[in-house]
mmCIF file of all heavy atoms in Angstrom:
data_model
loop_
_atom_site.group_PDB
_atom_site.id
_atom_site.type_symbol
_atom_site.label_atom_id
_atom_site.label_comp_id
_atom_site.label_asym_id
_atom_site.label_seq_id
_atom_site.Cartn_x
_atom_site.Cartn_y
_atom_site.Cartn_z
ATOM 1 N N GLN A 1 2.478 0.328 5.653
ATOM 2 C CA GLN A 1 3.306 1.390 5.063
ATOM 3 C C GLN A 1 2.647 2.083 3.865
ATOM 4 O O GLN A 1 3.332 2.598 2.995
ATOM 5 C CB GLN A 1 4.678 0.817 4.624
ATOM 6 C CG GLN A 1 5.421 0.016 5.688
ATOM 7 C CD GLN A 1 5.676 0.814 6.965
ATOM 8 O OE1 GLN A 1 6.003 1.996 6.892
ATOM 9 N NE2 GLN A 1 5.505 0.169 8.116
ATOM 10 N N GLU A 2 1.312 2.093 3.835
ATOM 11 C CA GLU A 2 0.636 2.857 2.779
ATOM 12 C C GLU A 2 0.191 4.184 3.394
ATOM 13 O O GLU A 2 -0.981 4.384 3.739
ATOM 14 C CB GLU A 2 -0.547 2.070 2.210
ATOM 15 C CG GLU A 2 -0.124 0.853 1.405
ATOM 16 C CD GLU A 2 -1.198 0.346 0.461
ATOM 17 O OE1 GLU A 2 -2.053 1.159 0.031
ATOM 18 O OE2 GLU A 2 -1.181 -0.859 0.155
ATOM 19 N N THR A 3 1.151 5.100 3.498
ATOM 20 C CA THR A 3 0.975 6.328 4.279
ATOM 21 C C THR A 3 -0.100 7.257 3.706
ATOM 22 O O THR A 3 -0.879 7.848 4.464
ATOM 23 C CB THR A 3 2.319 7.078 4.367
ATOM 24 O OG1 THR A 3 3.314 6.157 4.834
ATOM 25 C CG2 THR A 3 2.235 8.240 5.329
ATOM 26 N N THR A 4 -0.163 7.378 2.398
ATOM 27 C CA THR A 4 -1.142 8.297 1.795
ATOM 28 C C THR A 4 -2.569 7.884 2.154
ATOM 29 O O THR A 4 -3.396 8.704 2.573
ATOM 30 C CB THR A 4 -0.974 8.326 0.265
ATOM 31 O OG1 THR A 4 0.383 8.663 -0.038
ATOM 32 C CG2 THR A 4 -1.921 9.338 -0.370
ATOM 33 N N LYS A 5 -2.854 6.589 1.997
ATOM 34 C CA LYS A 5 -4.188 6.085 2.329
ATOM 35 C C LYS A 5 -4.441 6.189 3.833
ATOM 36 O O LYS A 5 -5.548 6.508 4.271
ATOM 37 C CB LYS A 5 -4.336 4.627 1.868
ATOM 38 C CG LYS A 5 -4.445 4.471 0.370
ATOM 39 C CD LYS A 5 -4.609 3.012 -0.026
ATOM 40 C CE LYS A 5 -4.730 2.864 -1.547
ATOM 41 N NZ LYS A 5 -4.848 1.451 -1.956
ATOM 42 N N ALA A 6 -3.398 5.938 4.616
ATOM 43 C CA ALA A 6 -3.514 6.015 6.073
ATOM 44 C C ALA A 6 -3.907 7.425 6.495
ATOM 45 O O ALA A 6 -4.818 7.618 7.315
ATOM 46 C CB ALA A 6 -2.200 5.611 6.728
ATOM 47 N N LYS A 7 -3.216 8.440 5.927
ATOM 48 C CA LYS A 7 -3.526 9.836 6.277
ATOM 49 C C LYS A 7 -4.946 10.228 5.852
ATOM 50 O O LYS A 7 -5.637 10.950 6.569
ATOM 51 C CB LYS A 7 -2.508 10.772 5.608
ATOM 52 C CG LYS A 7 -1.144 10.779 6.270
ATOM 53 C CD LYS A 7 -0.230 11.755 5.529
ATOM 54 C CE LYS A 7 1.146 11.837 6.197
ATOM 55 N NZ LYS A 7 2.034 12.764 5.462
ATOM 56 N N PHE A 8 -5.366 9.705 4.701
ATOM 57 C CA PHE A 8 -6.710 10.001 4.208
ATOM 58 C C PHE A 8 -7.764 9.532 5.212
ATOM 59 O O PHE A 8 -8.685 10.273 5.577
ATOM 60 C CB PHE A 8 -6.926 9.324 2.839
ATOM 61 C CG PHE A 8 -8.339 9.387 2.340
ATOM 62 C CD1 PHE A 8 -8.851 10.547 1.777
ATOM 63 C CD2 PHE A 8 -9.171 8.279 2.464
ATOM 64 C CE1 PHE A 8 -10.171 10.607 1.331
ATOM 65 C CE2 PHE A 8 -10.489 8.340 2.025
ATOM 66 C CZ PHE A 8 -10.986 9.499 1.452
ATOM 67 N N HIS A 9 -7.615 8.283 5.681
ATOM 68 C CA HIS A 9 -8.612 7.726 6.602
ATOM 69 C C HIS A 9 -8.479 8.319 8.006
ATOM 70 O O HIS A 9 -9.490 8.498 8.698
ATOM 71 C CB HIS A 9 -8.507 6.195 6.627
ATOM 72 C CG HIS A 9 -9.000 5.559 5.363
ATOM 73 N ND1 HIS A 9 -10.333 5.526 5.035
ATOM 74 C CD2 HIS A 9 -8.325 4.977 4.328
ATOM 75 C CE1 HIS A 9 -10.473 4.924 3.854
ATOM 76 N NE2 HIS A 9 -9.263 4.581 3.403
ATOM 77 N N LEU A 10 -7.236 8.669 8.403
ATOM 78 C CA LEU A 10 -7.053 9.331 9.703
ATOM 79 C C LEU A 10 -7.746 10.700 9.670
ATOM 80 O O LEU A 10 -8.429 11.081 10.631
ATOM 81 C CB LEU A 10 -5.564 9.488 10.018
ATOM 82 C CG LEU A 10 -5.236 10.191 11.338
ATOM 83 C CD1 LEU A 10 -5.916 9.517 12.531
ATOM 84 C CD2 LEU A 10 -3.720 10.239 11.552
ATOM 85 N N SER A 11 -7.586 11.390 8.560
ATOM 86 C CA SER A 11 -8.239 12.692 8.401
ATOM 87 C C SER A 11 -9.754 12.556 8.492
ATOM 88 O O SER A 11 -10.437 13.360 9.141
ATOM 89 C CB SER A 11 -7.849 13.295 7.051
ATOM 90 O OG SER A 11 -8.503 14.522 6.851
ATOM 91 N N ASN A 12 -10.293 11.513 7.863
ATOM 92 C CA ASN A 12 -11.741 11.249 7.936
ATOM 93 C C ASN A 12 -12.190 11.004 9.367
ATOM 94 O O ASN A 12 -13.198 11.555 9.823
ATOM 95 C CB ASN A 12 -12.104 10.026 7.089
ATOM 96 C CG ASN A 12 -12.253 10.375 5.625
ATOM 97 O OD1 ASN A 12 -12.362 11.550 5.277
ATOM 98 N ND2 ASN A 12 -12.255 9.359 4.770
ATOM 99 N N GLY A 13 -11.436 10.163 10.065
ATOM 100 C CA GLY A 13 -11.779 9.833 11.453
ATOM 101 C C GLY A 13 -11.767 11.066 12.338
ATOM 102 O O GLY A 13 -12.695 11.283 13.135
ATOM 103 N N LEU A 14 -10.719 11.896 12.200
ATOM 104 C CA LEU A 14 -10.593 13.116 13.016
ATOM 105 C C LEU A 14 -11.701 14.115 12.679
ATOM 106 O O LEU A 14 -12.203 14.815 13.561
ATOM 107 C CB LEU A 14 -9.217 13.748 12.782
ATOM 108 C CG LEU A 14 -8.020 12.924 13.298
ATOM 109 C CD1 LEU A 14 -6.708 13.468 12.731
ATOM 110 C CD2 LEU A 14 -7.978 12.908 14.820
ATOM 111 N N ARG A 15 -12.094 14.142 11.398
ATOM 112 C CA ARG A 15 -13.172 15.048 10.988
ATOM 113 C C ARG A 15 -14.517 14.612 11.560
ATOM 114 O O ARG A 15 -15.305 15.437 12.043
ATOM 115 C CB ARG A 15 -13.252 15.084 9.456
ATOM 116 C CG ARG A 15 -14.443 15.864 8.909
ATOM 117 C CD ARG A 15 -14.458 15.838 7.376
ATOM 118 N NE ARG A 15 -14.445 14.496 6.828
ATOM 119 C CZ ARG A 15 -15.526 13.710 6.723
ATOM 120 N NH1 ARG A 15 -16.701 14.143 7.154
ATOM 121 N NH2 ARG A 15 -15.432 12.497 6.194
ATOM 122 N N ILE A 16 -14.760 13.298 11.530
ATOM 123 C CA ILE A 16 -16.064 12.788 11.978
ATOM 124 C C ILE A 16 -16.185 12.866 13.497
ATOM 125 O O ILE A 16 -17.199 13.325 14.027
ATOM 126 C CB ILE A 16 -16.272 11.325 11.490
ATOM 127 C CG1 ILE A 16 -16.308 11.281 9.957
ATOM 128 C CG2 ILE A 16 -17.560 10.743 12.056
ATOM 129 C CD1 ILE A 16 -16.120 9.888 9.376
ATOM 130 N N LYS A 17 -15.159 12.419 14.205
ATOM 131 C CA LYS A 17 -15.209 12.459 15.678
ATOM 132 C C LYS A 17 -13.779 12.519 16.221
ATOM 133 O O LYS A 17 -13.161 11.489 16.492
ATOM 134 C CB LYS A 17 -15.967 11.246 16.233
ATOM 135 C CG LYS A 17 -16.397 11.436 17.683
ATOM 136 C CD LYS A 17 -17.466 10.424 18.067
ATOM 137 C CE LYS A 17 -17.995 10.714 19.458
ATOM 138 N NZ LYS A 17 -19.072 9.782 19.843
ATOM 139 N N PHE A 18 -13.311 13.737 16.404
ATOM 140 C CA PHE A 18 -11.913 13.954 16.790
ATOM 141 C C PHE A 18 -11.564 13.235 18.091
ATOM 142 O O PHE A 18 -10.517 12.588 18.200
ATOM 143 C CB PHE A 18 -11.635 15.454 16.944
ATOM 144 C CG PHE A 18 -10.229 15.755 17.412
ATOM 145 C CD1 PHE A 18 -9.186 15.808 16.497
ATOM 146 C CD2 PHE A 18 -9.945 15.943 18.764
ATOM 147 C CE1 PHE A 18 -7.882 16.065 16.912
ATOM 148 C CE2 PHE A 18 -8.654 16.185 19.191
ATOM 149 C CZ PHE A 18 -7.613 16.254 18.274
ATOM 150 N N GLU A 19 -12.459 13.324 19.106
ATOM 151 C CA GLU A 19 -12.128 12.793 20.437
ATOM 152 C C GLU A 19 -11.944 11.278 20.473
ATOM 153 O O GLU A 19 -11.421 10.722 21.438
ATOM 154 C CB GLU A 19 -13.180 13.216 21.475
ATOM 155 C CG GLU A 19 -14.608 12.733 21.211
ATOM 156 C CD GLU A 19 -15.420 13.706 20.373
ATOM 157 O OE1 GLU A 19 -14.821 14.457 19.570
ATOM 158 O OE2 GLU A 19 -16.657 13.711 20.513
ATOM 159 N N ASN A 20 -12.348 10.588 19.405
ATOM 160 C CA ASN A 20 -12.189 9.128 19.379
ATOM 161 C C ASN A 20 -10.841 8.686 18.823
ATOM 162 O O ASN A 20 -10.630 7.506 18.554
ATOM 163 C CB ASN A 20 -13.317 8.485 18.562
ATOM 164 C CG ASN A 20 -14.558 8.242 19.401
ATOM 165 O OD1 ASN A 20 -14.646 8.731 20.525
ATOM 166 N ND2 ASN A 20 -15.516 7.494 18.874
ATOM 167 N N HIS A 21 -9.886 9.636 18.685
ATOM 168 C CA HIS A 21 -8.580 9.229 18.140
ATOM 169 C C HIS A 21 -7.831 8.285 19.082
ATOM 170 O O HIS A 21 -6.837 7.670 18.692
ATOM 171 C CB HIS A 21 -7.704 10.449 17.806
ATOM 172 C CG HIS A 21 -7.387 11.311 18.995
ATOM 173 N ND1 HIS A 21 -8.116 12.428 19.309
ATOM 174 C CD2 HIS A 21 -6.415 11.214 19.939
ATOM 175 C CE1 HIS A 21 -7.603 12.986 20.397
ATOM 176 N NE2 HIS A 21 -6.566 12.263 20.802
ATOM 177 N N TYR A 22 -8.366 8.126 20.329
ATOM 178 C CA TYR A 22 -7.753 7.168 21.267
ATOM 179 C C TYR A 22 -7.800 5.739 20.713
ATOM 180 O O TYR A 22 -7.051 4.862 21.157
ATOM 181 C CB TYR A 22 -8.463 7.210 22.629
ATOM 182 C CG TYR A 22 -9.871 6.685 22.597
ATOM 183 C CD1 TYR A 22 -10.135 5.317 22.705
ATOM 184 C CD2 TYR A 22 -10.965 7.541 22.442
ATOM 185 C CE1 TYR A 22 -11.418 4.830 22.653
ATOM 186 C CE2 TYR A 22 -12.258 7.061 22.388
ATOM 187 C CZ TYR A 22 -12.480 5.699 22.490
ATOM 188 O OH TYR A 22 -13.747 5.206 22.427
ATOM 189 N N ILE A 23 -8.706 5.493 19.724
ATOM 190 C CA ILE A 23 -8.797 4.155 19.113
ATOM 191 C C ILE A 23 -7.442 3.757 18.535
ATOM 192 O O ILE A 23 -7.018 2.589 18.644
ATOM 193 C CB ILE A 23 -9.886 4.140 18.005
ATOM 194 C CG1 ILE A 23 -11.280 4.281 18.641
ATOM 195 C CG2 ILE A 23 -9.828 2.864 17.168
ATOM 196 C CD1 ILE A 23 -12.401 4.531 17.630
ATOM 197 N N LEU A 24 -6.750 4.727 17.931
ATOM 198 C CA LEU A 24 -5.410 4.431 17.387
ATOM 199 C C LEU A 24 -4.470 3.986 18.492
ATOM 200 O O LEU A 24 -3.694 3.039 18.336
ATOM 201 C CB LEU A 24 -4.837 5.673 16.704
ATOM 202 C CG LEU A 24 -5.114 5.868 15.212
ATOM 203 C CD1 LEU A 24 -4.415 7.122 14.735
ATOM 204 C CD2 LEU A 24 -4.646 4.672 14.409
ATOM 205 N N GLU A 25 -4.527 4.679 19.637
ATOM 206 C CA GLU A 25 -3.643 4.353 20.749
ATOM 207 C C GLU A 25 -3.949 2.961 21.301
ATOM 208 O O GLU A 25 -3.040 2.183 21.609
ATOM 209 C CB GLU A 25 -3.790 5.398 21.858
ATOM 210 C CG GLU A 25 -2.812 5.192 23.011
ATOM 211 C CD GLU A 25 -2.948 6.256 24.079
ATOM 212 O OE1 GLU A 25 -3.891 7.081 24.010
ATOM 213 O OE2 GLU A 25 -2.124 6.263 25.006
ATOM 214 N N ASP A 26 -5.254 2.645 21.395
ATOM 215 C CA ASP A 26 -5.651 1.353 21.970
ATOM 216 C C ASP A 26 -5.317 0.181 21.051
ATOM 217 O O ASP A 26 -4.815 -0.852 21.505
ATOM 218 C CB ASP A 26 -7.167 1.342 22.237
ATOM 219 C CG ASP A 26 -7.540 2.228 23.423
ATOM 220 O OD1 ASP A 26 -6.617 2.678 24.140
ATOM 221 O OD2 ASP A 26 -8.750 2.473 23.632
ATOM 222 N N LEU A 27 -5.607 0.337 19.752
ATOM 223 C CA LEU A 27 -5.478 -0.796 18.830
ATOM 224 C C LEU A 27 -4.141 -0.833 18.085
ATOM 225 O O LEU A 27 -3.702 -1.903 17.650
ATOM 226 C CB LEU A 27 -6.626 -0.759 17.804
ATOM 227 C CG LEU A 27 -8.049 -0.924 18.359
ATOM 228 C CD1 LEU A 27 -9.066 -0.812 17.228
ATOM 229 C CD2 LEU A 27 -8.203 -2.274 19.059
ATOM 230 N N PHE A 28 -3.530 0.337 17.925
ATOM 231 C CA PHE A 28 -2.286 0.395 17.143
ATOM 232 C C PHE A 28 -1.232 1.203 17.920
ATOM 233 O O PHE A 28 -0.837 2.307 17.486
ATOM 234 C CB PHE A 28 -2.550 1.031 15.768
ATOM 235 C CG PHE A 28 -3.624 0.357 14.965
ATOM 236 C CD1 PHE A 28 -4.938 0.804 15.028
ATOM 237 C CD2 PHE A 28 -3.319 -0.730 14.161
ATOM 238 C CE1 PHE A 28 -5.931 0.190 14.290
ATOM 239 C CE2 PHE A 28 -4.309 -1.355 13.414
ATOM 240 C CZ PHE A 28 -5.625 -0.904 13.482
ATOM 241 N N PRO A 29 -0.774 0.722 19.084
ATOM 242 C CA PRO A 29 0.176 1.490 19.905
ATOM 243 C C PRO A 29 1.465 1.842 19.148
ATOM 244 O O PRO A 29 2.037 2.911 19.367
ATOM 245 C CB PRO A 29 0.448 0.572 21.096
ATOM 246 C CG PRO A 29 -0.062 -0.781 20.700
ATOM 247 C CD PRO A 29 -1.133 -0.557 19.712
ATOM 248 N N VAL A 30 1.881 0.943 18.246
ATOM 249 C CA VAL A 30 3.103 1.203 17.459
ATOM 250 C C VAL A 30 2.884 2.408 16.546
ATOM 251 O O VAL A 30 3.765 3.274 16.399
ATOM 252 C CB VAL A 30 3.502 -0.045 16.629
ATOM 253 C CG1 VAL A 30 4.682 0.262 15.729
ATOM 254 C CG2 VAL A 30 3.815 -1.215 17.547
ATOM 255 N N VAL A 31 1.712 2.471 15.941
ATOM 256 C CA VAL A 31 1.377 3.588 15.052
ATOM 257 C C VAL A 31 1.240 4.877 15.862
ATOM 258 O O VAL A 31 1.721 5.943 15.468
ATOM 259 C CB VAL A 31 0.065 3.284 14.284
ATOM 260 C CG1 VAL A 31 -0.429 4.517 13.528
ATOM 261 C CG2 VAL A 31 0.262 2.107 13.331
ATOM 262 N N TRP A 32 0.603 4.773 17.009
ATOM 263 C CA TRP A 32 0.335 5.937 17.861
ATOM 264 C C TRP A 32 1.620 6.675 18.252
ATOM 265 O O TRP A 32 1.642 7.910 18.349
ATOM 266 C CB TRP A 32 -0.414 5.467 19.116
ATOM 267 C CG TRP A 32 -0.688 6.562 20.114
ATOM 268 C CD1 TRP A 32 -0.021 6.788 21.287
ATOM 269 C CD2 TRP A 32 -1.682 7.577 20.035
ATOM 270 N NE1 TRP A 32 -0.529 7.869 21.940
ATOM 271 C CE2 TRP A 32 -1.571 8.381 21.191
ATOM 272 C CE3 TRP A 32 -2.668 7.894 19.105
ATOM 273 C CZ2 TRP A 32 -2.394 9.471 21.432
ATOM 274 C CZ3 TRP A 32 -3.500 8.978 19.348
ATOM 275 C CH2 TRP A 32 -3.354 9.755 20.496
ATOM 276 N N THR A 33 2.669 5.933 18.482
ATOM 277 C CA THR A 33 3.919 6.555 18.955
ATOM 278 C C THR A 33 4.688 7.272 17.840
ATOM 279 O O THR A 33 5.657 7.982 18.120
ATOM 280 C CB THR A 33 4.833 5.490 19.592
ATOM 281 O OG1 THR A 33 5.074 4.459 18.643
ATOM 282 C CG2 THR A 33 4.201 4.927 20.859
ATOM 283 N N ARG A 34 4.272 7.099 16.604
ATOM 284 C CA ARG A 34 4.994 7.760 15.510
ATOM 285 C C ARG A 34 4.803 9.282 15.585
ATOM 286 O O ARG A 34 3.676 9.766 15.743
ATOM 287 C CB ARG A 34 4.503 7.257 14.144
ATOM 288 C CG ARG A 34 4.881 5.826 13.850
ATOM 289 C CD ARG A 34 4.471 5.455 12.438
ATOM 290 N NE ARG A 34 4.617 4.033 12.205
ATOM 291 C CZ ARG A 34 4.279 3.421 11.074
ATOM 292 N NH1 ARG A 34 3.783 4.159 10.075
ATOM 293 N NH2 ARG A 34 4.439 2.125 10.927
ATOM 294 N N LYS A 35 5.907 9.977 15.428
ATOM 295 C CA LYS A 35 5.882 11.438 15.514
ATOM 296 C C LYS A 35 4.986 12.035 14.433
ATOM 297 O O LYS A 35 4.233 12.990 14.668
ATOM 298 C CB LYS A 35 7.315 11.983 15.378
ATOM 299 C CG LYS A 35 7.419 13.446 15.744
ATOM 300 C CD LYS A 35 8.867 13.894 15.769
ATOM 301 C CE LYS A 35 8.944 15.370 16.164
ATOM 302 N NZ LYS A 35 10.326 15.855 16.169
ATOM 303 N N MET A 36 5.015 11.444 13.245
ATOM 304 C CA MET A 36 4.219 11.933 12.133
ATOM 305 C C MET A 36 2.719 11.891 12.481
ATOM 306 O O MET A 36 1.968 12.825 12.179
ATOM 307 C CB MET A 36 4.481 11.067 10.889
ATOM 308 C CG MET A 36 3.665 11.467 9.687
ATOM 309 S SD MET A 36 3.921 10.345 8.274
ATOM 310 C CE MET A 36 3.294 8.813 8.929
ATOM 311 N N VAL A 37 2.313 10.794 13.125
ATOM 312 C CA VAL A 37 0.900 10.629 13.498
ATOM 313 C C VAL A 37 0.518 11.661 14.542
ATOM 314 O O VAL A 37 -0.528 12.316 14.457
ATOM 315 C CB VAL A 37 0.642 9.185 13.993
ATOM 316 C CG1 VAL A 37 -0.768 9.057 14.584
ATOM 317 C CG2 VAL A 37 0.852 8.176 12.864
ATOM 318 N N GLN A 38 1.376 11.834 15.552
ATOM 319 C CA GLN A 38 1.091 12.812 16.611
ATOM 320 C C GLN A 38 0.999 14.226 16.044
ATOM 321 O O GLN A 38 0.108 14.996 16.415
ATOM 322 C CB GLN A 38 2.184 12.742 17.683
ATOM 323 C CG GLN A 38 2.132 11.493 18.563
ATOM 324 C CD GLN A 38 0.827 11.373 19.332
ATOM 325 O OE1 GLN A 38 0.337 12.347 19.899
ATOM 326 N NE2 GLN A 38 0.262 10.178 19.316
ATOM 327 N N ASN A 39 1.906 14.540 15.130
ATOM 328 C CA ASN A 39 1.895 15.868 14.505
ATOM 329 C C ASN A 39 0.616 16.082 13.693
ATOM 330 O O ASN A 39 0.022 17.164 13.711
ATOM 331 C CB ASN A 39 3.114 16.047 13.593
ATOM 332 C CG ASN A 39 4.403 16.184 14.395
ATOM 333 O OD1 ASN A 39 4.360 16.510 15.586
ATOM 334 N ND2 ASN A 39 5.539 15.947 13.750
#
């Protein structure tokens, strides 16, 4: 539940290699389903 830090690192990941965002779906399915993350 540390959302600010989570968004910071998600932004980094998407910037470095956007197409690898499937890692979130594979390793963190609960996180992946969040509307905020999808948005």
Side-chain angles (χ1 to χ4, degrees):
Q1 309 303 320
E2 291 200 27
T3 308
T4 305
K5 288 181 180 178
K7 285 181 178 179
F8 171 78
H9 289 289
L10 179 55
S11 178
N12 278 345
L14 293 167
R15 173 181 56 80
I16 297 164
K17 197 164 186 178
F18 177 83
E19 61 270 28
N20 275 11
H21 61 264
Y22 68 84
I23 291 170
L24 269 182
E25 185 178 8
D26 288 350
L27 296 178
F28 304 93
V30 175
V31 171
W32 177 257
T33 57
R34 291 185 190 177
K35 192 173 181 181
M36 178 184 64
V37 171
Q38 288 300 316
N39 289 340

